[in-house]
Amino acid sequence: MPIDFANELNPSQLEAVMHQGSPALVIAGAGSGKTRTIVYRLARLVQDGVPPENILLLTFTRKAAQEMLLRAGSILGRNLSGTSGGTFHSFAYGVLRRNGRTLGFETGFTLMDRADSENVVKEVKDNLKLGKGDRSYPKKNTLLDMITKSRNKERSIDAIVESEAYHLSAYAEDFQSIAGEYTRFKQSHALMDYDDLLFRFEELLRSDPSLLEELRARYQHIMVDEYQDTNKVQARLVRLLSGESGDVVAVGDDAQSIYAFRGADVANILDFPKIFKDAKLIRLERNYRSTQAILNLTNHILAGAHTKFDKTLVSDRDTGRLPRIVHPLSDQTQAKQVVEEVIKLAKKYPLHDIAVLFRAGYQSYPLEVALSRVGIRYQKYGGLRFHEAAHIKDVLAYLRLTHNPADMVAWRRVFAPIKGIGPKTADRIAKARLTADGKYIAKAMKRFPALRELFDHLDGLRNCSRPGQALERINMFYQPILAELYPDDYPKRQTGLDQLSQIATNYTSIDDFLADLTLDGDQEEEKRKEHALVLSTVHSSKGLEWSAVLIIDLVEDRFPSKRALARPEDMDEERRLLYVACTRAKDSLTMFVPATIFNRFNAVSEPATPSPFIAELPGDCAEMWRETYASGLRQETQHAGTHASGVNGNALPAEPSDTLSPGPATGTPKLGICRHKIFGQGKIIAQIPPNKYRVNFPGFGLKVIVADYLELL
DNA sequence: GTGTAATGCCTTTTT
DNA sequence: GGCATTACAC
């Protein structure tokens, strides 16, 4: 039975769904039925006779792709499994694996996750003898950050250091050489990191025209979701695959761009019509998700942006209840109040339809304790992942070695539990293994009997072709090691390993299994728990929606995160992040602004300033509640922020030239460098009316300083 | 070279 | 609560 598209969709959605044969850009506001549009277009293509295998659907997470294909399939009443769908990274991985030889990986390659990459960077740094004895030398995390930022943004390391970490400029040269060595290490050990997947994929397409032709012939219809969060390579990849006038539909929302930190470039959306010939522009502006009361607030948040968005969402729904801004006395009592609020909400909505959102993973810890205490089940998105746990990585190391004997990262791991073998000896043995230096190996096995067992074990594994079977054997071998390594909680870790074995049985290829774990984090997450409250970072909440949303820790330094504010533009990204958070809510939105924050650095509760995004909101768009010392909540009768007077929803200073120009503000030239008597030279991040500046001082961090004390340079 | 204990430092977001 | 470094004993 044919689908009645005109009846199921609004005119703009219909236009997007019916579009075919040339490039199109769909600007889809939050909650405007973006997913629905993609799903229906998939269904429409297939209904019109397009074979599913000619469609490529690129999304931000693999879960999103799977869900869309599933929905399209159920509308059509047929299976769309032939469709290629996934993230840029997973798609690239698949092609690279089939064509690795072209790039010089004769026997394939191993994909590294973040932790692996960091370890390699650290090793490279040590080998170069950099930073010896320097306590304040940048950590491996920072080192890798600089390297991947430089790659993703396609700017030199020097440029990155200068614009967003200039307090590290003394190390810029080191970064350069570490980056060079890192690249060589990866190549010589058949390793790839996330960035390599994209860049080497591009390299492959450019160096192998016949492969490119083949892919183009196959993927005649391409759809890209979350286009605002693509970076430069990704945009080039789309263009390579589709051609300038191919059938490519990009969907995105410039107001929801929240991945600039990893090189996402809003310019991709803005330039789409320039790059793709005769691109059609379609706008989806009607919001089907949130109540008007919620949208009023989110529109205010967006209005304060320095980069202007010509976007005012209008709801298709009732006015609804006003959002609430709650001021607990501390972040400890905040947890208690969130729990109480959740209990109230749970009478109206199922638990999995309620979410608590926060800027960074660690911010939910106090809440997690409080939830456990009262016995509310929860599931957490973002933050630490299943496969990042040490014991999981240990077990996977054995598996990796069966396919890539050059994988030094894995060798280190499997040697570590053997007493007497430290990093040096480990390296030596691994090298001897590679160069077939039998003498050294024999000597080593004599000295460390456990080594023979290990090698026998690894040899045994190479006969297993199925990952499930291999993991069974590994678990047996690893069992005693686990108990010794983690005496406190090894039973709990054991269940994690059992889960891993379970997941592994779904795979027939070890390579695929390993890659999927690093590319997609949690398979475990698939079985999304029914009846469990959702805790999520805002980033991980992208694309999702809940009836009730609670946002915590809306105070200066946490949201906006002080770590994120290296450049003036970053403030706007934090703002968009809050916009994304608020627009997740369908019916109920509650925001928490604790008066004090516990600082684990000195174990003291410190006073906190409300987030500027909250302080600037006009009083009529939210109810204000305050925790009293009697530990109850009291609603404030007067209008919201007294400090918001005169701000009118726009905290940023009137900068005449910028307010007029649409599109991204060009570098905000008026916010420059300044000097302070005590803190020295610093970079001005924002102006705070009437007479203050927010300044980033290297070594001292962000400060809000009265203009009189600053010397502008 | 390795293992252990003590110290000082910082804790964003994700493929 | 983790990470990197240092000091010290084997």
Side-chain angles (χ1 to χ4, degrees), chain A residues 415-453:
Chain A
F415 287 144
I418 301 178
K419 290 274 171 252
I421 302 186
K424 291 277 182 227
T425 318
D427 275 8
R428 229 188 297 147
I429 299 174
K431 266 197 201 106
R433 204 53 287 185
L434 270 180
T435 55
D437 180 352
K439 253 193 254 162
Y440 185 83
I441 297 289
K443 218 173 76 188
M445 285 198 296
K446 216 171 194 176
R447 203 168 135 212
F448 309 106
L451 203 54
R452 176 179 294 279
E453 270 176 66

Side-chain angles (χ1 to χ4, degrees), chain A residues 289 294 324 337-339 341-343 345-346 349-359 364 367 371 376-381 528-529 531-554 580-592:
Chain A
R289 179 186 295 150
I294 290 172
R324 274 160 303 153
Q337 278 166 16
V338 169
V339 169
E341 186 63 30
V342 166
I343 291 172
L345 288 165
Y349 310 106
L351 265 181
H352 60 257
D353 201 20
I354 306 170
V356 183
L357 306 182
F358 31 85
R359 174 71 242 263
S364 66
L367 180 59
L371 287 169
I376 296 179
R377 299 203 330 135
Y378 65 86
Q379 50 187 329
K380 191 170 171 182
Y381 292 83
R528 192 173 160 174
K529 292 188 213 154
H531 276 91
L533 175 70
V534 174
L535 309 185
S536 174
T537 60
V538 181
H539 282 92
S540 301
S541 77
K542 185 159 95 153
L544 305 174
E545 59 176 29
W546 296 272
S547 286
V549 167
L550 303 89
I551 307 171
I552 59 171
D553 278 354
L554 285 161
V580 168
C582 295
T583 51
R584 299 306 97 202
K586 292 198 270 191
D587 294 351
S588 162
L589 175 63
T590 317
M591 307 163 95
F592 291 84

Side-chain angles (χ1 to χ4, degrees), chain A residues 321-326 619-625 635-636 640:
Chain A
R321 182 178 177 181
L322 271 187
R324 274 160 303 153
I325 298 174
V326 179
D620 58 0
C621 70
E623 288 173 10
M624 290 280 277
W625 293 77
Q635 182 170 6
E636 306 242 310

Side-chain angles (χ1 to χ4, degrees), chain A residues 68 217 265 341 515:
Chain A
M68 289 180 197
D265 196 342
E341 186 63 30

Side-chain angles (χ1 to χ4, degrees), chain A residues 96-129:
Chain A
L96 283 168
R97 236 200 92 192
R98 289 191 293 275
N99 300 275
R101 269 156 287 109
T102 320
L103 293 172
F105 293 117
E106 294 305 327
T107 55
F109 56 88
T110 301
L111 186 58
M112 298 190 293
D113 67 6
R114 172 83 195 194
D116 295 333
S117 305
E118 284 183 2
N119 290 336
V120 169
V121 163
K122 180 179 187 309
E123 184 165 341
V124 159
K125 182 204 82 177
D126 291 343
N127 288 344
L128 287 170
K129 310 233 185 309

Side-chain angles (χ1 to χ4, degrees), chain A residues 132 170 394 415 496 515 533 544 633 668 670 688 698 709:
Chain A
K132 268 181 100 172
D394 281 348
F415 287 144
L533 175 70
L544 305 174
L633 282 184
T668 59
K670 276 151 243 75
I688 303 174
Y709 294 102

Side-chain angles (χ1 to χ4, degrees), chain A residues 348-482:
Chain A
K348 205 167 159 198
Y349 310 106
L351 265 181
H352 60 257
D353 201 20
I354 306 170
V356 183
L357 306 182
F358 31 85
R359 174 71 242 263
Y362 71 90
Q363 286 169 6
S364 66
Y365 294 156
L367 180 59
E368 289 177 50
V369 173
L371 287 169
S372 307
R373 196 171 297 154
V374 292
I376 296 179
R377 299 203 330 135
Y378 65 86
Q379 50 187 329
K380 191 170 171 182
Y381 292 83
L384 255 193
R385 288 175 185 255
F386 178 62
H387 78 278
E388 282 165 356
H391 56 289
I392 303 281
K393 298 211 74 172
D394 281 348
V395 161
L396 293 178
Y398 298 102
L399 210 51
R400 283 162 60 153
L401 287 172
T402 61
H403 273 57
N404 181 4
D407 190 341
M408 291 301 278
V409 183
W411 279 120
R412 281 271 178 93
R413 282 205 100 89
V414 301
F415 287 144
I418 301 178
K419 290 274 171 252
I421 302 186
K424 291 277 182 227
T425 318
D427 275 8
R428 229 188 297 147
I429 299 174
K431 266 197 201 106
R433 204 53 287 185
L434 270 180
T435 55
D437 180 352
K439 253 193 254 162
Y440 185 83
I441 297 289
K443 218 173 76 188
M445 285 198 296
K446 216 171 194 176
R447 203 168 135 212
F448 309 106
L451 203 54
R452 176 179 294 279
E453 270 176 66
L454 173 65
F455 284 145
D456 286 345
H457 167 58
L458 287 171
D459 283 332
L461 283 180
R462 291 174 47 209
N463 300 326
C464 305
S465 60
R466 304 191 133 256
Q469 188 192 1
L471 268 187
E472 289 289 307
R473 296 183 72 140
I474 295 173
N475 275 337
M476 294 222 297
F477 181 84
Y478 185 68
Q479 173 65 45
I481 301 175
L482 179 77

